Amino acid sequence: MDVQSSSHQSLLILTWATSMRKLTLSEQNFRGQHGKAYLFGSVVNIISAEAVERNMTTGRHVVRDICCRHCKDTVGWKYDKAYESSEKYKEGKYILEAELLYGLMVNAATPNQSDVGNVNIPCPQLESLWRSSPVASGGRHEEQRDLRFLPIGKPRTVPGVRSVRGVEASAPAANGITHDEPPLTTELAEHGTSGKGKEETTEGVFQLTVNLPHEPHRVQIMVSSQEQVQDIRQSVVELPETFQYTCFHLEHQGQRVNDFVELSEVKDLTPNSELTLVEDPYTEKDARLHLLRIRELIGAVGDRTDTLLGVEAGLCLHDTIVSRQQDGVASNVNGASGTAGSPTPSHPLEGYDFESPGSLSSLLPPTRSQQPKALKSISVSPWHPPPYHLRQKGHLLYIQLTTNEGEQYQITSCTSGFFVNKCSNSKFDPFPKQATKPLTSHSLMTLLTSISPSFSKSLVSLQEYNSQKDPLAVFQLTNAIPMSPWAVQAPNSLQTTHQADAVRAQESFLIAGMDNSDTLRDWNEEFQSTRELPKDGVQERVFRERLTSKLSADYNDAAARGAVLVARGEVPALNPTEERDAQIFVYNNVFFSFGADGVDTFAAVGGDEAARVAVGKDVSGVRAVNQLDVEGIFTPATVVVDFLGKRIVGQSIVPGIFKQREPGEHQIDYGGVEGKGVVTANEAFVPVFNKLSQEMRVSKHPVWDKDGTRHDLEASVETKGLLGTDGRKYVLDLYRITPLDVHWVEKYWSRSSELDSAEERTAGDDGKACYPHRMTVLRPELVESYWKLKAREFVSTELDKRKVGSSLANGVNGHAEEPAQSNGVKSPGDSVQSDLAEPQEPKEDNKEPEQERIDVSNFRFSLNPDVFSGQEPQTKEEKAELSRDEGEVRAACDFLTSKILPELIHDLNEGDVGLPMDGQSLSRLLHKRGINVRYLGTISQLAKSKGSRLESLRQVAVQEMVSRAFKHVARRYLRYLPVPLAASCVAHLLNCLLGSHVNADPMAQVDDTLRNLYPESDFAFTNATPETIRVEVEDEISLRFRYDLQESWIGKIKHVQLLREIAVKLGLQLEAKDYRFIRGSGRESSPGESPTVNGDQSMTNGHPSTAGKKKRKADRARNQSPLTSESLSAEVTFQTDDIVNFVPVVKESAPRSTLAEEALEAGRLSIAQNQKELGQELLLESLSLHEQIYGILHPEVARFYSQLAMIYYHLEEKNAAVELAHKAVIVSERTIGVDSAETILGYLNLALFEHASANTQGALAYLRHALDLWKVVYGTNHPDSITTLNNAAVMLQSMRMYKESRTWFEASLRLSETTFGKQTTHTATLLFQLAQALALDQDSKGAVNCMREAYSIFLSQLGADDKNTKEAENWLEQLTQNAVSIAKHTKDLQSRRLRRINLTPRMALGTRPQPQAGQSSSEAANADDPTGRREFDSRSLDELMKFIEGGGDASRMGTPKKRPGRSHPKRRGGKPIPS
């Protein structure tokens, strides 16, 4: 760059810093490719490049790179077009990157920087680079990142935080990636490449001008020729300058343009053409929707009281963590230690207590100020609807509103727009009111601006308020049911106080009209029509899967709402004369029934228990069939909802299912008609069922009806086929798609379990009561694993045969005899071992690699799902055939018990799999391995046999069994209980289980008026006592999990964690406060800890506070509302009012997107093959597909963001990893839960990525939040938290906070010694790192001792030749030499100081430098002097020898030639432990 350009750039620094003061916070929170970036409305002195289309993390955009007109350096880009509706506000605006402007770090100049004048300005006459203009729509907190141009560096192993003492301050720069690359294709080739079928490039993107009837009179938007006109309409509606328009059409050259045609089909439409927006007359529906739109824009849509979503549904805490971090430590972004004598920088981990229990305040957002109001109120007027004679004149809607000035207006909506009328509260006169200025407008927004002077200013304030949160945190979820938190704020808190809103009750009318006809949908026809859509091309698959995802979300929402109404008794039954459990319902075109055996269908296999399990299995079966997507097979949309102790099934209505057929015709066309006694097999169903059975590993097998007639079926006899009146073939009752777990059935089930007598039910092999039902089927994941095992055995056998044949051909007669193992079925262990060795043998012959291929077309494997289910073969051949099928199923069950279960325990014990932290993560882990939850007792016993290493697994398993047992107990009490008594019932049962230490004999809180109101109700719950509940829970665990609890189990439970598990399973929303589980204690006390009360002033969020009085006062003020507790005199732990709400627990059957997953796997494979550019393109393709198909706010998208973030982290794309991790956390909180295990792991990974990106302060804030959540979910001292504690220590060490890091290293070491033992490589590795930390903290003697101990363990466990042992030996030698050198040097200096002490009276004996904040005097005395000189202690030589002070060799200690192990030796590659 020449001198002139350099001078010009220096000036740009000044003008940039000056302009930054004018930007709002939302305009500053952007991030470009090179770091911090800012959004501006206009920029001058630039040159724009050609428009290109790029995929960014926020969606697809058309952008232009912009360069400085003088130096020609790229400084950012301009947004021409955004395809996502949430990003439309950026169109026409500019992103400028600070790093590209002046080459400084991101934090070198902030909007509040006061020393701007220090910049040298050689040429002050030059113009400034830009002039800023406010962005009306508000900015975006989420950093924007063009993932298309991510730097692709040389592949290398990414070191984990576990071992890094220092971190690179910035991400690597792009190498060789230019901004004029072709845009990313959005179509995948058949084999995962993108060479063919690319979309049209930017040649089809051009600019259009839209002329408006009002200011600003014209807007320019970037469009694509492939877009439809309705897309242009949507862009106009969402632009900040034009969002008041909702009812209009577009014209070109005076001709109306059809909304549903592509722009390429519009006659004479060319680039730079002009369209004209013409306002249309309103209809009643248009007026209603316009009012709803305006209410949303002005913030008048208050908190809705929803029958489904519950309190604070979709809660997000991410932004509150960021705000707290910015408020507390904004001035110490990287935590530099500064000079001696300066205050110690604060950090988010300050004051953390490792042993304190979790506090529910971690689950609550901080109190936020009330949002500004543009109007006091706006609603439908009491004068609505218009009378008949005025409808003829065009009156559509009457509205009343009150402005912030207190003026009340009555407004008429007519076909021409809106005007102020002359109505009052007592007089009806809906005609225009006379005024000095016209009070009429086509848009209600424009009219509000005219009648309220403060409206415009209040609207701007509202937009600024809304922009303080990430848009992802506030967007409404449309493709998923938002997660409702189990711990919520008190109903009287500022955040949840019920507000008056007249339109809350009117929203149904505004959305659906007076007759509610707009919301009625034919769900079945929509689902089946979607399945029949073409799926040949990529775009067809995208459209089909996106429509399926959206339709499933809509149906799940409607079915769940209907199920809640059915459970509450608000929907009349179609058969009211039947028993309650046999009643059926239809609501909103959804068919509902109870998950109970109302008509004795399951009487022989367990009755109600079997029926309840069957409907749950049916949902899983429907989801599996939908995922396979077999052509010609149709399934009804199915949802199961658990609510208030009832299980309700919601299904779309299959045409013809209620049709009465002709005499002699069966109601079912394929499968069992009346149980197993009557079987039919319509030949028309055989081809489609054959396709389905092949995919599901089901064999074609015979079944026999009650007459002994044989029928060959392609599916289980319980699986039914129905030919609908629409001509489609439907498959129903998919609860038996896999065989029974015969080992479990034979061991723990007998027909005597159907009897009522407890003595007669005791028939299990273990002497306990029989299992409650016979629906113990194997999981599909296990069948798939067993199929893979058999396939490997087949390949191995074929290879053995080929090897023998090759030997015979070469004349090697000594090896002609084939091993005996290859002739029969191998044991699971043998097959796996041979699998590991055999694939290497074909590599011996490289000349003819095609000979190594194995033809698997002859491989056959399938299981008979109807074995052990009462089938009675008639002939000897049939009996032999059935016996073979039974043997195969037994082998699969053996595979589960002898292979899968031990392998899981082994992997957990060796650390190859992360330990679950709660019941949900444990269940997900078991299901992934093909293990049923009924094996929890076995898991607990196996974990106990491993000792302390798997103690946490045993605790989680026992806790999960207790919570599930309590769920069944509570379900029995709640099932037939009236809704108003449900809260009293649950509160009393919780007091009996968790509050018995506070009150050993709690009394149920039942209102006498309710008791008298429901005289026929069953009030059995009032007789429950802690002893009876304990016995019932123990019996349920013994019955369902075949596990016996210890006698003292009730005293060892983790109260908060068990309460959380119960609340999640029952759908409870409890008031978040510190419940008293021990008499006299406001929270759960740790062993050896004195009891404390909720309001204890020494506690801050459950942790001892070391901050000052002001900080404690602020913390108490912040936490006062959510942590209000009952007084010490309260008799019970839970009051009825503590049960704030019940929410439904929904199980749905929506399939995942196979297209998006294929793109992800193709990207991973390409990266693994070192094709990084192709791999990144495929990953971005998968990102786009996930967001298009699911929508951004969806659990699958959250999981994908997390996976992609980890991939980019390994690719050294740290900024991209950070952004994706932020999104993953936000979406996970809103759709999975703020305290779910996935959310916690997301925060831990986010902290890892932030630290790698040199934002250690932010990393520590996220890590602290994750640890707080971890305490609530699991408690303290989870084994996997060893890694987290170690990561925190490394982060503090990178901030030069050696004293603090030492504390965290020691905590990690203590937990490792407790979990793994002292003489283990895990502990030795932590000792190694602690020794380094002690050396940095100038504790040479402690460092030597720790390193010596680490060396001793490595030597005994790994031997002298292991690299860990050698490295520890080298470090021990260096540390020892350094300690001796320091001791000698200190002795010499001490002697000199004693001789010259009278000559240097500058510092009196015993004087210490001023300690820093949070630092003791002794620590301050040992701090480094900024000049390199040191004042020495006045202690004696012996005292100094006991406390060896580090010297000038510290730097050499900190950078050894060889870096020590990151963890135990198996993880020496530096792989980060994904949290």
Side-chain angles (χ1 to χ4, degrees):
M1 185 181 295
D2 56 20
V3 177
Q4 182 179 2
S5 299
S6 177
S7 302
H8 176 69
Q9 196 172 33
S10 299
L11 176 62
L12 300 185
I13 302 173
L14 172 62
T15 56
W16 169 78
T18 304
S19 300
M20 288 307 303
R21 295 193 182 96
K22 303 177 183 179
L23 295 181
T24 63
L25 178 64
S26 59
E27 295 161 354
Q28 300 170 24
N29 284 339
F30 284 79
R31 183 170 293 274
Q33 178 184 353
H34 300 83
K36 193 70 174 177
Y38 302 88
L39 182 68
F40 288 89
S42 60
V43 179
V44 297
N45 288 339
I46 60 169
I47 300 175
S48 298
E50 294 296 326
V52 294
E53 194 172 273
R54 295 178 187 163
N55 277 321
M56 302 184 178
T57 57
T58 52
R60 195 155 51 104
H61 295 76
V62 177
V63 299
R64 301 170 184 266
D65 290 329
I66 56 177
C67 304
C68 173
R69 191 180 69 184
H70 297 270
C71 61
K72 303 300 186 295
D73 286 347
T74 301
V75 293
W77 67 85
K78 176 187 177 183
Y79 291 106
D80 281 351
K81 179 176 178 59
Y83 289 92
E84 298 291 337
S85 59
S86 60
E87 308 301 319
K88 291 289 186 181
Y89 72 93
K90 295 186 296 189
E91 290 183 351
K93 299 177 176 63
Y94 300 80
I95 284 289
L96 296 177
E97 300 194 54
E99 179 70 15
L100 296 179
L101 286 173
Y102 56 90
L104 299 178
M105 290 298 296
V106 177
N107 302 316
T110 62
N112 297 324
Q113 188 172 351
S114 59
D115 56 349
V116 180
N118 296 332
V119 179
N120 183 23
I121 310 176
C123 187
Q125 289 80 17
L126 293 176
E127 292 179 278
S128 63
L129 175 65
W130 65 75
R131 58 178 183 271
S132 60
S133 62
V135 180
S137 66
R140 183 178 182 85
H141 281 246
E142 188 63 30
E143 297 172 346
Q144 308 299 311
R145 171 78 170 172
D146 185 353
L147 294 180
R148 172 68 179 163
F149 302 112
L150 291 174
I152 303 176
K154 182 178 180 181
R156 64 185 180 89
T157 303
V158 182
V161 173
R162 293 174 58 94
S163 59
V164 180
R165 287 218 335 258
V167 183
E168 295 178 355
S170 61
N175 53 347
I177 306 299
T178 60
H179 282 203
D180 56 356
E181 290 185 335
L184 178 64
T185 177
T186 58
E187 183 170 351
L188 298 176
E190 182 178 356
H191 299 289
T193 62
S194 56
K196 297 181 180 181
K198 291 187 177 182
E199 284 188 347
E200 189 176 35
T201 60
T202 53
E203 296 177 358
V205 178
F206 55 91
Q207 182 173 274
L208 280 181
T209 299
V210 180
N211 297 319
L212 307 173
H214 309 290
E215 291 185 357
H217 296 297
R218 61 190 304 159
V219 293
Q220 293 180 339
I221 55 178
M222 295 297 298
V223 298
S224 169
S225 59
Q226 296 179 346
E227 289 185 283
Q228 291 186 346
V229 177
Q230 61 179 349
D231 297 326
I232 311 302
R233 284 179 50 90
Q234 189 65 24
S235 299
V236 171
V237 170
E238 294 175 351
L239 283 176
E241 300 88 349
T242 57
F243 54 41
Q244 69 269 25
Y245 299 104
T246 61
C247 184
F248 62 91
H249 71 270
L250 297 174
E251 293 184 355
H252 177 57
Q253 297 179 353
Q255 298 295 321
R256 180 166 183 159
V257 182
N258 192 316
D259 290 342
F260 300 99
V261 300
E262 292 186 358
L263 293 179
S264 59
E265 300 176 12
V266 179
K267 185 179 180 180
D268 298 331
L269 186 68
T270 60
N272 299 319
S273 294
E274 294 187 357
L275 297 177
T276 303
L277 186 150
V278 180
E279 295 173 335
D280 284 338
Y282 286 94
T283 64
E284 188 207 21
K285 181 178 180 179
D286 294 332
R288 289 189 279 107
L289 297 180
H290 185 83
L291 176 58
L292 282 174
R293 170 70 170 162
I294 298 303
R295 278 176 51 82
E296 291 176 356
L297 291 174
I298 66 177
V301 181
D303 292 334
R304 297 179 173 91
T305 301
D306 197 283
T307 58
L308 174 66
L309 305 181
V311 183
E312 296 180 328
L315 177 66
C316 180
L317 301 178
H318 172 270
D319 287 341
T320 66
I321 303 169
V322 176
S323 62
R324 288 177 182 176
Q325 170 203 345
Q326 293 174 346
D327 294 341
V329 290
S331 60
N332 298 302
V333 176
N334 291 320
S337 57
T339 59
S342 63
T344 301
S346 59
H347 58 88
L349 297 182
E350 189 175 7
Y352 184 83
D353 186 358
F354 299 99
E355 299 300 329
S356 65
S359 173
L360 297 188
S361 62
S362 304
L363 309 180
L364 302 179
T367 303
R368 195 181 181 200
S369 60
Q370 294 291 327
Q371 73 173 21
K373 283 190 174 183
L375 293 175
K376 285 188 176 180
S377 66
I378 179 171
S379 62
V380 178
S381 171
W383 296 112
H384 182 82
Y388 291 105
H389 69 285
L390 293 180
R391 294 184 193 179
Q392 306 302 321
K393 296 183 179 182
H395 287 207
L396 306 173
L397 194 67
Y398 296 142
I399 304 169
Q400 69 176 10
L401 62 88
T402 304
T403 65
N404 287 341
E405 293 81 11
E407 297 290 335
Q408 188 181 70
Y409 293 89
Q410 298 278 348
I411 295 176
T412 297
S413 170
C414 61
T415 54
S416 61
F418 299 83
F419 62 83
V420 178
N421 61 38
K422 295 183 286 186
C423 290
S424 65
N425 291 335
S426 58
K427 178 183 176 183
F428 179 66
D429 189 355
F431 296 100
K433 183 178 182 180
Q434 300 298 324
T436 56
K437 59 180 179 178
L439 299 179
T440 181
S441 174
H442 187 269
S443 171
L444 182 58
M445 179 76 75
T446 307
L447 181 61
L448 295 177
T449 305
S450 302
I451 63 179
S452 176
S454 64
F455 178 78
S456 298
K457 183 177 180 180
S458 300
L459 187 61
V460 172
S461 300
L462 175 64
Q463 292 171 343
E464 293 178 351
Y465 178 88
N466 291 334
S467 66
Q468 295 175 7
K469 299 194 71 174
D470 191 290
L472 289 180
V474 296
F475 283 163
Q476 184 178 358
L477 278 76
T478 58
N479 280 25
I481 297 177
M483 180 58 64
S484 299
W486 68 273
V488 298
Q489 303 190 70
N492 58 354
S493 65
L494 294 177
Q495 302 293 325
T496 58
T497 301
H498 200 55
Q499 303 287 341
D501 184 7
V503 178
R504 186 184 296 119
Q506 302 170 353
E507 276 194 349
S508 297
F509 157 71
L510 292 176
I511 295 173
M514 193 72 70
D515 55 359
N516 201 31
S517 59
D518 293 351
T519 61
L520 293 179
R521 301 168 63 176
D522 188 344
W523 296 109
N524 190 77
E525 182 59 32
E526 289 188 44
F527 267 103
Q528 314 316 333
S529 298
T530 302
R531 289 183 62 87
E532 291 173 334
L533 290 174
K535 53 181 178 179
D536 299 329
V538 173
Q539 295 302 324
E540 291 176 344
R541 292 180 64 186
V542 170
F543 178 76
R544 184 174 181 267
E545 292 186 358
R546 180 171 57 186
L547 187 58
T548 299
S549 176
K550 176 60 178 173
L551 184 58
S552 298
D554 293 345
Y555 175 78
N556 295 340
D557 183 85
R561 294 180 187 278
V564 169
L565 295 178
V566 170
R568 291 179 175 273
E570 299 178 19
V571 179
L574 297 181
N575 52 343
T577 59
E578 300 287 343
E579 294 292 333
R580 188 183 312 183
D581 291 338
Q583 291 179 350
I584 57 177
F585 311 83
V586 173
Y587 179 81
N588 200 5
N589 282 343
V590 180
F591 172 73
F592 294 99
S593 60
F594 289 107
D597 192 20
V599 292
D600 294 334
T601 303
F602 298 91
V605 292
D608 283 347
E609 287 285 352
R612 185 177 181 277
V613 173
V615 296
K617 298 292 184 183
D618 186 39
V619 173
S620 302
V622 172
R623 182 168 56 248
V625 173
N626 290 341
Q627 191 67 46
L628 294 174
D629 198 12
V630 177
E631 187 174 357
I633 286 286
F634 299 89
T635 58
T638 307
V639 166
V640 169
V641 178
D642 291 322
F643 186 69
L644 294 178
K646 305 173 183 66
R647 172 160 286 190
I648 300 168
V649 189
Q651 293 180 307
S652 61
I653 302 175
V654 177
I657 195 171
F658 296 123
K659 178 183 176 182
Q660 293 296 329
R661 301 201 178 187
E662 297 295 330
E665 288 186 347
H666 297 301
Q667 199 72 17
I668 297 298
D669 297 292
Y670 193 85
V673 180
E674 299 174 2
K676 304 171 187 176
V678 179
V679 180
T680 182
N682 189 332
E683 292 298 326
F685 280 82
V686 172
V688 291
F689 267 75
N690 178 261
K691 297 178 184 178
L692 181 63
S693 63
Q694 291 180 5
E695 295 289 343
M696 305 190 75
R697 323 298 181 198
V698 173
S699 63
K700 184 175 182 179
H701 58 279
V703 296
W704 296 265
D705 59 20
K706 59 184 178 181
D707 298 328
T709 304
R710 172 172 172 160
H711 303 269
D712 290 330
L713 298 181
E714 297 280 356
S716 169
V717 68
E718 279 90 356
T719 302
K720 301 172 178 60
L722 173 67
L723 183 63
T725 55
D726 56 0
R728 299 185 178 104
K729 299 179 179 67
Y730 292 89
V731 56
L732 309 174
D733 294 346
L734 289 162
Y735 52 82
R736 277 280 307 278
I737 60 177
T738 56
L740 291 173
D741 185 352
V742 60
H743 291 345
W744 190 277
V745 171
E746 292 178 344
K747 226 175 166 183
Y748 306 123
W749 163 266
S750 74
R751 293 295 299 271
S752 63
S753 62
E754 304 167 27
L755 304 176
D756 295 331
S757 173
E759 290 76 15
E760 291 177 302
R761 293 179 60 201
T762 304
D765 289 352
D766 53 359
K768 299 178 182 177
C770 282
Y771 200 67
H773 60 83
R774 203 173 185 270
M775 296 298 298
T776 55
V777 297
L778 299 174
R779 291 194 61 83
E781 296 89 345
L782 178 77
V783 175
E784 191 67 20
S785 297
Y786 190 62
W787 175 86
K788 292 178 181 178
L789 173 67
K790 303 299 289 185
R792 288 196 298 267
E793 289 180 352
F794 175 82
V795 172
S796 179
T797 302
E798 293 297 316
L799 287 173
D800 288 342
K801 292 179 180 179
R802 180 171 298 176
K803 180 179 178 182
V804 172
S806 176
S807 299
L808 291 174
N810 294 330
V812 184
N813 299 324
H815 298 277
E817 185 176 357
E818 188 176 356
Q821 286 185 348
S822 63
N823 295 327
V825 178
K826 300 178 182 180
S827 66
D830 293 338
S831 64
V832 173
Q833 292 177 1
S834 64
D835 250 1
L836 298 177
E838 289 295 344
Q840 301 298 329
E841 294 181 3
K843 295 183 180 179
E844 296 175 0
D845 188 2
N846 297 326
K847 295 181 180 180
E848 297 178 355
E850 65 274 4
Q851 294 182 3
E852 314 305 331
R853 298 178 182 175
I854 301 298
D855 183 12
V856 296
S857 60
N858 295 326
F859 173 68
R860 297 287 184 271
F861 171 81
S862 56
L863 296 176
N864 182 349
D866 286 323
V867 295
F868 305 107
S869 61
Q871 295 298 324
E872 298 180 359
Q874 302 300 308
T875 66
K876 186 176 181 180
E877 291 78 9
E878 292 175 347
K879 293 179 180 179
E881 181 183 0
L882 184 62
S883 178
R884 287 194 298 269
D885 292 344
E886 290 177 347
E888 196 65 47
V889 171
R890 285 189 184 276
C893 296
D894 289 335
F895 178 65
L896 170 62
T897 56
S898 63
K899 187 67 179 176
I900 297 297
L901 281 169
E903 272 189 356
L904 174 62
I905 298 300
H906 175 269
D907 292 344
L908 291 169
N909 189 52
E910 293 298 320
D912 298 332
V913 178
L915 287 165
M917 61 181 70
D918 66 345
Q920 187 179 21
S921 57
L922 174 59
S923 300
R924 189 165 56 249
L925 174 62
L926 295 181
H927 290 167
K928 186 177 181 180
R929 295 290 185 107
I931 303 172
N932 303 85
V933 175
R934 59 178 173 269
Y935 283 96
L936 277 174
T938 305
I939 294 291
S940 180
Q941 293 170 353
L942 293 174
K944 186 178 181 181
S945 66
K946 297 296 182 179
S948 60
R949 289 198 177 193
L950 295 184
E951 175 61 22
S952 65
L953 175 64
R954 189 195 67 81
Q955 292 179 4
V956 171
V958 171
Q959 181 175 278
E960 179 69 0
M961 287 188 287
V962 172
S963 63
R964 287 177 176 267
F966 182 82
K967 177 189 71 174
H968 290 293
V969 172
R971 178 172 55 85
R972 288 198 295 268
Y973 288 112
L974 286 170
R975 186 173 176 183
Y976 302 119
L977 198 65
V979 175
L981 297 171
S984 299
C985 174
V986 171
H988 180 63
L989 296 179
L990 289 176
N991 283 324
C992 292
L993 180 67
L994 299 175
S996 58
H997 293 292
V998 175
N999 190 332
D1001 188 20
M1003 299 295 294
Q1005 303 172 357
V1006 180
D1007 192 342
D1008 291 338
T1009 58
L1010 292 177
R1011 188 188 293 269
N1012 297 331
L1013 192 60
Y1014 300 101
E1016 298 180 357
S1017 298
D1018 185 5
F1019 288 87
F1021 74 91
T1022 60
N1023 300 323
T1025 65
E1027 180 63 23
T1028 59
I1029 293 299
R1030 182 182 64 81
V1031 172
E1032 288 186 66
V1033 169
E1034 291 175 353
D1035 290 344
E1036 286 290 336
I1037 293 176
S1038 176
L1039 179 69
R1040 297 178 184 276
F1041 306 105
R1042 324 312 288 186
Y1043 184 81
D1044 294 326
L1045 293 172
Q1046 300 176 358
E1047 293 184 2
S1048 58
W1049 70 271
I1050 197 69
K1052 296 180 180 180
I1053 59 176
K1054 300 177 181 179
H1055 296 93
V1056 173
Q1057 289 70 34
L1058 182 57
L1059 176 63
R1060 173 182 175 273
E1061 295 286 357
I1062 292 173
V1064 170
K1065 289 175 174 59
L1066 289 178
L1068 305 180
Q1069 286 193 301
L1070 305 171
E1071 180 181 343
K1073 63 182 183 181
D1074 287 341
Y1075 292 99
R1076 294 186 303 111
F1077 300 109
I1078 300 175
R1079 182 177 293 277
S1081 173
R1083 58 181 177 86
E1084 185 176 3
S1085 299
S1086 299
E1089 180 184 8
S1090 59
T1092 57
V1093 188
N1094 283 352
D1096 190 350
Q1097 297 182 0
S1098 65
M1099 302 298 297
T1100 303
N1101 290 339
H1103 311 303
S1105 176
T1106 58
K1109 295 181 178 179
K1110 292 183 178 179
K1111 180 175 177 58
R1112 290 199 301 268
K1113 184 176 181 180
D1115 290 339
R1116 289 197 304 270
R1118 184 177 70 242
N1119 299 324
Q1120 184 175 3
S1121 174
L1123 295 181
T1124 301
S1125 63
E1126 299 295 331
S1127 63
L1128 289 178
S1129 60
E1131 296 181 356
V1132 292
T1133 302
F1134 298 93
Q1135 304 289 338
T1136 301
D1137 291 341
D1138 293 333
I1139 313 299
V1140 178
N1141 187 35
F1142 291 87
V1143 294
V1145 180
V1146 181
K1147 298 179 182 179
E1148 42 88 17
S1149 57
R1152 301 187 311 275
S1153 169
T1154 56
L1155 181 61
E1157 292 179 354
E1158 288 171 3
L1160 174 60
E1161 291 304 318
R1164 284 175 169 170
L1165 181 61
S1166 298
I1167 291 176
Q1169 296 173 349
N1170 206 25
Q1171 299 177 355
K1172 290 187 170 54
E1173 293 187 13
L1174 175 61
Q1176 286 188 338
E1177 287 191 1
L1178 291 171
L1179 290 176
L1180 293 178
E1181 194 74 43
S1182 181
L1183 172 63
S1184 175
L1185 290 172
H1186 273 86
E1187 292 180 340
Q1188 287 183 57
I1189 292 171
Y1190 294 113
I1192 296 180
L1193 298 175
H1194 193 280
E1196 292 298 325
V1197 176
R1199 298 182 179 106
F1200 174 77
Y1201 282 153
S1202 182
Q1203 296 177 52
L1204 190 57
M1206 185 59 71
I1207 293 174
Y1208 275 117
Y1209 174 72
H1210 284 286
L1211 292 175
E1212 291 294 308
E1213 311 294 355
K1214 299 174 183 176
N1215 291 337
V1218 167
E1219 293 174 16
L1220 289 166
H1222 278 287
K1223 287 190 172 185
V1225 165
I1226 295 174
V1227 180
S1228 178
E1229 283 186 325
R1230 301 198 63 196
T1231 60
I1232 305 176
V1234 293
D1235 61 342
S1236 68
E1238 294 180 62
T1239 301
I1240 295 175
L1241 296 179
Y1243 271 114
L1244 293 176
N1245 285 335
L1246 176 58
L1248 182 73
F1249 304 155
E1250 287 282 11
H1251 173 66
S1253 301
N1255 181 18
T1256 304
Q1257 280 283 2
L1260 291 176
Y1262 295 124
L1263 191 143
R1264 171 68 178 264
H1265 180 67
L1267 288 173
D1268 289 340
L1269 293 179
W1270 212 331
K1271 285 185 174 182
V1272 174
V1273 172
Y1274 172 82
T1276 58
N1277 300 328
H1278 189 278
D1280 285 353
S1281 65
I1282 296 175
T1283 300
T1284 304
L1285 300 177
N1286 203 43
N1287 287 350
V1290 173
M1291 293 177 189
L1292 291 170
Q1293 198 174 76
S1294 70
M1295 298 166 65
R1296 301 183 183 179
M1297 295 184 176
Y1298 303 128
K1299 193 72 175 179
E1300 292 82 354
S1301 69
R1302 172 178 176 173
T1303 302
W1304 287 78
F1305 274 127
E1306 291 171 346
S1308 178
L1309 177 61
R1310 287 194 302 270
L1311 184 53
S1312 177
E1313 291 176 343
T1314 303
T1315 304
F1316 302 108
K1318 293 185 177 182
Q1319 298 298 317
T1320 61
T1321 54
H1322 300 79
T1323 302
T1325 303
L1326 294 174
L1327 282 168
F1328 191 105
Q1329 291 184 302
L1330 178 59
Q1332 294 177 320
L1334 294 175
L1336 290 174
D1337 196 31
Q1338 302 180 7
D1339 186 356
S1340 299
K1341 184 176 181 180
V1344 170
N1345 292 335
C1346 286
M1347 191 60 70
R1348 182 181 294 111
E1349 190 174 353
Y1351 169 72
S1352 175
I1353 297 174
F1354 281 138
L1355 182 62
S1356 62
Q1357 297 293 326
L1358 304 177
D1361 295 332
D1362 187 82
K1363 63 178 182 179
N1364 297 276
T1365 308
K1366 293 179 179 180
E1367 197 167 7
E1369 184 180 14
N1370 293 336
W1371 272 83
L1372 178 60
E1373 181 180 353
Q1374 294 179 19
L1375 291 175
T1376 303
Q1377 293 175 357
N1378 187 64
V1380 173
S1381 175
I1382 291 175
K1384 291 180 180 179
H1385 186 62
T1386 303
K1387 182 178 180 180
D1388 294 341
L1389 292 178
Q1390 181 70 12
S1391 300
R1392 296 178 196 170
R1393 187 172 184 276
L1394 291 175
R1395 289 196 302 268
R1396 293 185 297 176
I1397 189 136
N1398 295 328
L1399 302 177
T1400 56
R1402 296 180 181 179
M1403 182 176 291
L1405 286 174
T1407 303
R1408 302 288 186 271
Q1410 178 66 32
Q1412 302 175 3
Q1415 186 181 34
S1416 65
S1417 299
S1418 61
E1419 294 169 340
N1422 295 321
D1424 289 336
D1425 190 282
T1427 62
R1429 294 176 286 115
R1430 183 179 294 278
E1431 296 290 343
F1432 292 95
D1433 205 327
S1434 61
R1435 289 176 286 183
S1436 66
L1437 180 60
D1438 293 335
E1439 292 173 338
L1440 286 174
M1441 290 297 295
K1442 294 180 180 179
F1443 184 84
I1444 301 175
E1445 182 176 351
D1449 291 333
S1451 61
R1452 188 164 60 93
M1453 281 194 304
T1455 56
K1457 294 182 180 179
K1458 295 183 178 180
R1459 192 170 289 276
R1462 273 69 173 168
S1463 62
H1464 57 79
K1466 291 186 177 182
R1467 293 178 181 159
R1468 271 310 176 111
K1471 180 181 179 181
I1473 307 291
S1475 305

